[in-house]
């Protein structure tokens, strides 16, 4: 029998776990002189465990992510009901009766799963129906479905961009696009967030160096941390001027923007004028999965050359049925989108009136909290007051831009919002964010 592989010695110095949790920095985790993988993991684990104990991450829901949801208290283990202001279930589809019925019907007709990838045995009539509806929603010729939004972003970029090609991207694009850059063999050029002058400059530089190469400009419709919207008409014009395709990640725009909830392109009257439209099922549809919509030829190409599509199992029929149910509900009830925006405006106006620093463009409301405030403590106190919010801190955002990230829901009543506003008043005063 072979001897086991030799192991490097672990650090021998004593470990102060509480100090590690308090003083943890992500820079330390990536320093080059770690002796073992175990040492790196041991350094990080106390920090993670403390966040769990504080209820800052991974709070355990005991029911659907509705506007009111039962949650297990991390300290006491009690089940308490809280107002949900931290879910991307913007339109309340996660527990909408007609959507649930569509999910159940999909299980009855097609079972729990396909047991294979889309190109082999993983395409059902249900999948083709959803692809057709997604294409129609985005005014594109065709669409294909991925196992996640992450897979969709990685998949399209690494498939269509090769050596010598250039991706020009907004600096605040999603992490999945950055991973596509790591995997791909193309050049990636950032431009300052929503800065049209910088985009113009970068496109001019790219075309000067490579007049005939393939160029794709990629932006998000709605940015997930600030909730602001890309100036799509101007970006479309610049991409056309410099011979570039335009790709939009509309994860947070689909179902939120546009009179019918069809997304950022509809909001700006640019339906059918976006070359590559990416979206997810993890926001308004409250499940998992993603899609790319575009020309028929582009979709045909991606089915064979997008590795995260070709080599992933097909989405289970219940998930596909849920998304179809959500699209059908949206078509029949566009007033749900209007209610979402009314709730967002009411809540934002009230918090501004209290003295909070926040921006309001879409259903995402970042409330900026001064650096001196213990944001973990503030999230915990709001939870105790019956309000579920997410705290966002470094390294997800700059150290001086920590925030409470509100995700509004259309199904919130005025009474719900007033209760949350009062909780924000009390907790904000207690933590010194608001004046007494």
């Amino acid at each position: 029998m072979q001897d086991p592989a030799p192991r490097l010695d672990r650090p021998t110095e004593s470990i102060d776990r509480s100090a590690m949790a308090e003083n943890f920095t992500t820079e330390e985790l990536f320093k080059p002189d770690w002796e073992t993988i175990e040492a790196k993991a041991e350094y990080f684990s106390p920090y993670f465990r403390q966040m769990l104990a504080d209820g800052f991450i991974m709070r355990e829901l005991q029911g659907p992510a509705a506007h009111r949801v039962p949650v297990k208290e991390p300290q006491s283990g009690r089940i308490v009901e809280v107002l949900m202001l931290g879910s991307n279930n913007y339109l309340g589809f996660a527990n909408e009766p007609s959507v649930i019925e569509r999910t159940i019907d999909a299980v009855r007709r097609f079972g729990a799963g396909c047991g294979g990838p889309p190109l082999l045995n993983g395409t059902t009539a249900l999948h083709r129906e959803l692809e057709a509806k997604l294409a129609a929603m985005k005014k594109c010729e065709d669409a294909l479905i991925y196992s996640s939004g992450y897979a969709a972003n990685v998949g399209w970029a690494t498939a269509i961009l090769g050596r010598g090609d250039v991706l020009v991207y907004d600096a605040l694009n999603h992490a999945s696009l950055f991973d596509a850059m790591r995997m791909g063999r193309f050049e990636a050029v950032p431009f300052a967030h929503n800065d049209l002058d910088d985009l113009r400059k970068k496109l001019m530089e790219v075309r000067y160096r490579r007049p005939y190469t393939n160029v794709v400009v990629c932006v998000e419709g709605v940015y997930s941390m600030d909730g602001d919207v890309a100036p799509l008409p101007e970006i479309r014009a610049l991409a056309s001027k410099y011979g570039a395709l335009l790709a939009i990640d509309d994860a947070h725009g689909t179902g939120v923007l546009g009179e019918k909830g069809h997304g950022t392109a509809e909001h700006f009257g640019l339906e059918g004028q976006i070359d590559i439209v990416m979206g997810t099922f993890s926001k308004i549809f409250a499940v998992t999965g993603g899609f790319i919509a575009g020309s028929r030829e582009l979709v045909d190409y991606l089915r064979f050359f997008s590795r995260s599509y070709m080599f992933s199992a097909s989405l289970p029929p219940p998930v596909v049925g849920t998304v179809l149910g959500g699209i059908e509900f949206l078509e029949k009830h566009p007033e749900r989108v209007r209610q979402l925006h009314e709730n967002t405006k009411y809540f934002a106006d009230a918090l501004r009136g209290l003295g909070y620093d926040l921006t309001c463009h879409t259903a995402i409301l970042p409330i900026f909290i001064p650096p001196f405030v213990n944001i973990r403590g503030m999230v915990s106190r709001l939870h105790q007051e019956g309000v579920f919010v997410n705290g966002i801190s470094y390294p997800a955002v700059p150290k001086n831009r920590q925030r409470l990230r509100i995700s509004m829901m259309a199904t919130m009543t005025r009474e719900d919002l007033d209760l949350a506003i009062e909780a924000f008043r009390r907790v904000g005063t207690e933590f010194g964010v608001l004046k007494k």
Side-chain angles (χ1 to χ4, degrees):
M1 183 175 178
Q2 267 188 330
D3 290 333
R7 292 166 59 93
L8 296 173
D9 291 336
R10 295 190 183 194
T12 56
E13 64 269 18
S14 61
I15 299 172
D16 182 348
R17 293 184 179 276
S18 61
M20 290 166 108
E22 185 68 27
N23 301 316
F24 175 84
T25 65
T26 51
E27 291 94 336
E28 283 288 314
L29 196 60
F30 294 103
K31 67 182 183 180
D33 57 346
W34 281 106
E35 294 187 44
T36 65
I37 293 172
E38 290 94 333
K40 183 191 297 187
E42 193 169 6
Y43 179 81
F44 172 76
S45 184
Y47 173 77
F48 175 78
R49 292 290 160 184
Q50 188 60 54
M51 285 196 296
L52 279 178
D54 292 342
F56 192 66
I57 58 171
M58 295 182 69
R59 282 171 277 180
E60 191 176 304
L61 276 61
Q62 304 291 309
H67 64 292
R68 290 175 179 256
V69 60
V71 178
K72 184 178 181 179
E73 293 280 3
Q75 293 88 3
S76 66
R78 295 185 303 115
I79 308 300
V80 297
E81 186 180 76
V82 295
L83 295 170
M84 175 51 75
L85 285 173
S87 172
N88 293 326
N89 180 28
Y90 299 122
L91 299 182
F93 289 169
N95 60 319
E96 184 63 43
S98 66
V99 175
I100 293 172
E101 283 304 311
R102 195 68 154 95
T103 307
I104 294 169
D105 180 63
V107 177
R108 290 196 180 110
R109 290 179 58 204
F110 294 94
C114 300
L119 286 182
L120 299 180
N121 63 301
T123 297
T124 68
L126 208 61
H127 290 80
R128 292 302 294 148
E129 181 184 357
L130 177 55
E131 289 175 341
K133 290 208 169 187
L134 290 167
M137 173 187 276
K138 296 299 183 179
K139 294 290 190 295
C140 294
E141 293 178 347
D142 204 354
L144 72 162
I145 303 168
Y146 287 80
S147 58
S148 68
Y150 181 98
N153 256 348
V154 168
W156 77 258
T158 55
I160 71 170
L161 292 166
R163 294 187 189 278
D165 295 335
V166 181
L167 176 71
V168 181
Y169 66 95
D170 190 291
L172 294 190
N173 267 104
H174 192 264
S176 53
L177 190 71
F178 282 80
D179 283 354
M181 297 175 212
R182 291 181 179 182
M183 298 178 196
R185 300 177 179 179
F186 52 87
E187 180 184 351
V189 176
F191 67 93
H193 176 56
N194 275 351
D195 189 327
L196 295 171
D197 289 335
D198 195 40
L199 173 58
R200 182 184 295 104
K201 177 184 175 184
K202 296 300 170 57
L203 285 170
M204 288 175 64
E205 290 172 352
V206 167
R207 278 301 177 216
Y208 178 78
R209 291 186 292 110
R210 298 183 179 177
Y212 304 113
T213 196
N214 295 309
V215 179
V216 177
V217 174
C218 184
V219 299
E220 296 191 13
V222 176
Y223 288 87
S224 61
M225 284 299 128
D226 290 325
D228 53 340
V229 181
L232 208 56
E234 294 84 356
I235 292 173
R236 172 70 275 178
L238 283 172
S240 299
K241 179 178 179 179
Y242 291 96
L245 297 180
L246 177 58
I248 179 172
D249 176 342
D250 214 23
H252 289 276
T254 302
V256 173
L257 292 182
E259 187 177 343
K260 300 176 183 177
H262 289 180
T264 310
E266 185 201 4
H267 174 73
F268 286 110
L270 291 174
E271 289 179 291
Q273 299 180 51
I274 311 300
D275 303 294
I276 303 165
V277 181
M278 176 269 181
T280 70
F281 305 146
S282 57
K283 312 312 181 215
I284 67 155
F285 300 113
V287 285
T288 188
F291 68 92
I292 297 293
S295 69
R296 184 165 289 106
E297 293 80 6
L298 174 70
V299 171
D300 289 346
Y301 182 88
L302 289 175
R303 290 192 195 278
F304 266 77
F305 292 97
S306 179
R307 295 169 69 86
S308 57
Y309 173 85
M310 190 174 190
F311 296 104
S312 290
S314 195
L315 269 188
V319 173
V320 178
T322 301
V323 180
L324 280 167
I327 292 174
E328 289 160 3
F329 185 93
L330 190 60
E331 289 171 349
K332 295 175 183 176
H333 300 281
E335 72 277 1
R336 185 68 67 90
V337 179
R338 292 193 293 273
Q339 186 61 52
L340 174 65
H341 291 289
E342 288 174 11
N343 283 356
T344 304
K345 185 178 186 307
Y346 179 81
F347 194 69
D349 288 347
L351 290 191
R352 281 201 194 97
L354 291 176
Y356 276 103
D357 176 16
L358 74 152
T359 58
C360 177
H361 302 282
T362 54
I364 299 169
L365 292 173
I367 303 172
F368 300 103
I369 303 301
F372 65 82
V373 174
N374 177 359
I375 195 165
R376 275 196 261 174
M378 198 168 179
V379 168
S380 178
R381 279 290 294 119
L382 282 165
H383 188 100
Q384 292 169 14
E385 293 284 340
V387 180
F388 188 114
V389 298
N390 292 315
I392 310 294
S393 57
Y394 179 83
V397 292
K399 291 180 179 179
N400 64 343
R401 298 291 280 174
Q402 68 174 356
R403 65 200 63 184
L404 301 173
R405 181 181 180 275
I406 303 300
S407 299
M408 184 51 65
M409 293 181 66
T411 47
M412 283 275 179
T413 65
R414 189 58 56 89
E415 179 187 4
D416 294 329
L417 296 175
D418 287 339
L419 287 171
I421 290 162
E422 180 59 22
F424 269 88
R425 185 194 63 77
R426 289 193 296 269
V427 174
T429 304
E430 177 183 330
F431 278 77
V433 179
L434 303 179
K435 295 178 181 178
K436 294 184 179 180

